[in-house]
């Protein structure tokens, strides 16, 4: 007799998250790519480039996918 195995597939998505700093203080945290582009663009034109900086992190999200029968 054979037993059917239930295989749960995993979907791994990698997204970038961004933090924006001004004079060493974090102003924006956990921004996604599109939020970062908008906010960084506006801040960069409004302030001197040396005053602002950012950090980018790669975030992995693992989602368990139920098997479909």
């Amino acid at each position: 007799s054979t037993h059917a195995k239930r295989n749960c597939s995993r979907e791994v998505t990698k997204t970038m998250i961004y933090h924006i700093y001004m004079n060493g203080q974090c102003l924006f945290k956990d921004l996604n790519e599109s939020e970062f582009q908008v906010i960084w663009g506006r801040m960069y034109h409004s302030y001197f480039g040396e005053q602002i900086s950012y950090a980018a992190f790669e975030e992995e999200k693992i989602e368990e996918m139920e098997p479909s029968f």
Side-chain angles (χ1 to χ4, degrees):
S1 67
T2 58
H3 295 285
K5 267 189 179 176
R6 279 187 63 179
N7 289 328
C8 287
S9 64
R10 286 179 156 194
E11 190 170 309
V12 179
T13 56
K14 291 185 179 184
T15 56
M16 295 298 290
I17 56 171
Y18 299 86
H19 302 339
I20 296 179
Y21 301 87
M22 182 169 176
N23 295 326
Q25 291 189 329
C26 186
L27 295 182
F28 297 95
K29 191 175 181 182
D30 297 333
L31 299 174
N32 65 31
E33 180 98 31
S34 59
E35 292 169 333
F36 169 75
Q37 295 292 343
V38 170
I39 295 169
W40 179 258
R42 290 183 181 169
M43 287 188 68
Y44 197 79
H45 292 297
S46 301
Y47 300 97
F48 297 107
E50 312 88 60
Q51 289 181 318
I52 61 172
S53 61
Y54 71 91
F57 304 93
E58 191 173 67
E59 184 179 58
E60 275 190 13
K61 290 185 178 178
I62 300 172
E63 294 182 23
E64 298 287 336
M65 307 292 284
E66 286 297 317
S68 55
F69 295 100

